[in-house]
Amino acid sequence: MSNSNKILITGGAGFIGSHVVRRFVTTYPDYQVFNLDALTYAGNLENLSDLEAFPNYTFVKGDITDSGFVEDLFIEHDFKGVIHLAAESHVDRSISDPMAFVMTNVVGTVNLLNAARRAWRNDIDKHLFYHISTDEVYGELHNPEELFLETTKYDPRSPYSASKASSDHFVRAYHNTYGMPVVISNCSNNYGPNHFPEKLIPLMIHNVLNDKPLPVYGKGENIRDWLFVEDHARAIDVIFHKGKNGETYNIGGHNEWKNIDLVKLLCKIMDEKLGREENTSEGLIQYVTDRAGHDLRYAIDATKLKKELGWVPSLQFSEGLTKTVEWYLSNTEWLNNVTSGAYKHYYEEMYDRR
Ligand code: NAD
Ligand code: TYD
């Protein structure tokens, strides 16, 4: 690898990115960690306020769709590696505004690849472009025995997953065509602290706290495979340092839950934590119109990551979910801040539509 100690993490003010930035800044004092983030509705510097005093942490506000800005940044800093998380990440938003997903997820990724290629042209093999992707690129599963493997054919079915699949293809194309050293990981659904309250788990926590209905899409039969966000950050650390050039790694929790069962478990934990009578929160569940093109089931086989790089998830789901609920209960100010101001209008509009 290059002698530079500079690492660029994109999207570090978002949910997963903030946990990755914290892990790298606190575990590797010899790295200079740069967090590039446009601070969209999903990016929040409050997520990283504990890192402000760290001398090896720098925040850069900028948009990856701005090619000139991205190129200048790569020329100014000889980044040894890039961990690319910046993205539009919410499926429901991709249904109402697909172009924002094309811009950030596809154009933004290609801008980063171009800037890296130009800046690294004399010693490209000493660098690494690590692209963070999702299991949603593989489509949906129907056979209950089946799991997504690294070799599963891509079959994206939402504008979000189509944009992520496209970005994955560009990363592989730059590896094949220009010799760009790359790794890609495709992870299942994450949960944990700092998760923006429009995704399932934090939305339900927010609504229970505010005595609002809990909107379950369709019959609540859809299945997701949930992984605690710090386990994902640890997997990213392992893959960044030990992953093989050109390889793809699936990351997942072997932890499948039907949405309705997950929401009921969450309600039970919330009732206990809030000292409410049993089944109080469950009474808030409302079945609402299903998401258009709603993928039935996602489930990851993470055997390759376990066998080749020794990574396994560390937390049981009930433990991780309890930790998550406790975090939201002690961070009500964070929750109020992200659901107020400009975001409030969007949030209420989405909520009214359900
Ligand atoms: P998030 O929406 O919470 O955060 C995205 C971050 O990217 C925000 O800080 C936002 O400000 C920033 N960003 C958006 N557009 C930008 C732009 N044009 N320029 C610069 N910054 C921009 O997302 P997340 O849930 O933390 O997901 C991070 C990555 O992990 C994404 O690439 C996502 O596809 C992938 N992923 C997420 C999950 C999940 O369950 N959340 C699972 C697997 C993979
Ligand atoms: P989400 O957190 O949006 O993640 P993804 O769509 O990327 O898997 O949704 C997780 C599951 O929960 C998905 O099957 C859709 C469902 N869901 C609801 O039932 N109600 C909601 O209000 C939301 C946001 C999601």
Side-chain angles (χ1 to χ4, degrees):
M1 277 246 198
S2 142
N3 287 333
S4 162
N5 65 350
K6 293 182 178 178
I7 309 287
L8 178 68
I9 299 179
T10 71
F15 166 47
I16 302 172
S18 61
H19 290 274
V20 175
V21 168
R22 179 172 301 101
R23 183 169 182 95
F24 273 72
V25 168
T26 57
T27 316
Y28 303 106
D30 291 343
Y31 286 165
Q32 285 294 327
V33 177
F34 290 76
N35 169 17
L36 166 61
D37 199 296
L39 299 183
T40 68
Y41 78 94
N44 185 353
L45 287 180
E46 246 182 286
N47 292 348
L48 294 163
S49 51
D50 55 316
L51 298 184
E52 275 160 20
F54 278 72
N56 63 333
Y57 170 64
T58 306
F59 173 68
V60 182
K61 186 169 188 298
D63 191 328
I64 58 168
T65 66
D66 180 345
S67 57
F69 161 78
V70 173
E71 273 179 24
D72 289 349
L73 189 71
F74 274 76
I75 298 294
E76 185 184 343
H77 303 283
D78 174 25
F79 296 119
K80 162 202 181 102
V82 175
I83 306 176
H84 174 36
L85 296 108
E88 287 291 340
S89 68
H90 188 33
V91 174
D92 291 326
R93 282 180 186 253
S94 82
I95 294 169
S96 42
D97 181 14
M99 193 51 83
F101 287 69
V102 174
M103 290 311 294
T104 288
N105 299 0
V106 185
V107 176
T109 300
V110 176
N111 279 339
L112 288 166
L113 288 165
N114 280 340
R117 193 181 147 225
R118 203 155 300 170
W120 300 345
R121 62 187 176 278
N122 294 328
D123 56 353
I124 197 165
D125 54 335
K126 297 218 170 95
H127 299 264
L128 179 65
F129 192 101
Y130 179 6
H131 179 60
I132 306 300
S133 193
T134 166
D135 60 355
E136 304 192 25
V137 299
Y138 299 123
E140 64 173 4
L141 296 166
H142 285 276
N143 173 351
E145 305 299 312
E146 215 183 335
L147 300 172
F148 294 135
L149 290 163
E150 287 81 357
T151 49
T152 300
K153 191 168 161 282
Y154 274 32
D155 183 21
R157 293 162 32 92
S158 74
Y160 165 64
S161 53
S163 68
K164 291 296 291 186
S166 172
S167 63
D168 294 9
H169 289 320
F170 271 103
V171 172
R172 292 196 181 97
Y174 274 59
H175 175 66
N176 181 59
T177 310
Y178 307 116
M180 171 84 68
V182 305
V183 279
I184 298 180
S185 55
N186 296 80
C187 189
S188 61
N189 286 61
N190 284 214
Y191 70 98
N194 306 100
H195 204 182
F196 200 78
E198 66 182 12
K199 305 275 177 86
L200 180 71
I201 291 178
L203 176 81
M204 297 298 164
I205 294 175
H206 173 270
N207 287 10
V208 166
L209 285 174
N210 291 282
D211 275 326
K212 287 185 168 174
L214 310 179
V216 172
Y217 297 166
K219 294 185 178 148
E221 300 281 313
N222 302 67
I223 295 171
R224 298 293 182 264
D225 171 359
W226 295 93
L227 179 70
F228 192 62
V229 64
E230 286 173 14
D231 275 333
H232 189 189
R234 190 166 46 81
I236 289 173
D237 181 349
V238 170
I239 293 168
F240 181 75
H241 289 103
K242 296 197 204 151
K244 283 204 200 104
N245 184 9
E247 292 289 319
T248 296
Y249 299 91
N250 278 353
I251 311 172
H254 281 294
N255 178 40
E256 291 179 49
W257 284 79
K258 263 189 198 163
N259 290 340
I260 187 62
D261 295 340
L262 189 165
V263 172
K264 285 183 179 169
L265 172 62
L266 192 55
C267 286
K268 190 167 172 276
I269 296 174
M270 293 283 295
D271 285 345
E272 279 165 18
K273 293 283 165 195
L274 294 168
R276 291 181 181 171
E277 236 174 80
E278 248 179 76
N279 302 325
T280 308
S281 302
E282 241 189 79
L284 293 169
I285 293 176
Q286 275 187 11
Y287 292 94
V288 299
T289 312
D290 207 353
R291 172 186 280 171
H294 197 172
D295 285 342
L296 182 64
R297 172 173 167 255
Y298 305 143
I300 278 275
D301 184 338
T303 310
K304 175 176 172 181
L305 185 56
K306 180 180 175 185
K307 273 199 180 151
E308 294 187 10
L309 305 184
W311 176 92
V312 284
S314 71
L315 279 189
Q316 293 297 317
F317 192 47
S318 56
E319 211 182 329
L321 213 48
T322 303
K323 258 179 116 163
T324 304
V325 168
E326 284 167 354
W327 185 86
Y328 280 92
L329 293 182
S330 24
N331 287 275
T332 44
E333 204 181 320
W334 182 94
L335 199 53
N336 292 336
N337 288 348
V338 299
T339 50
S340 62
Y343 178 68
K344 192 167 189 279
H345 304 293
Y346 173 84
Y347 182 81
E348 283 172 351
E349 208 180 285
M350 286 282 287
Y351 186 76
D352 286 346
R353 264 192 264 140
R354 284 175 179 144

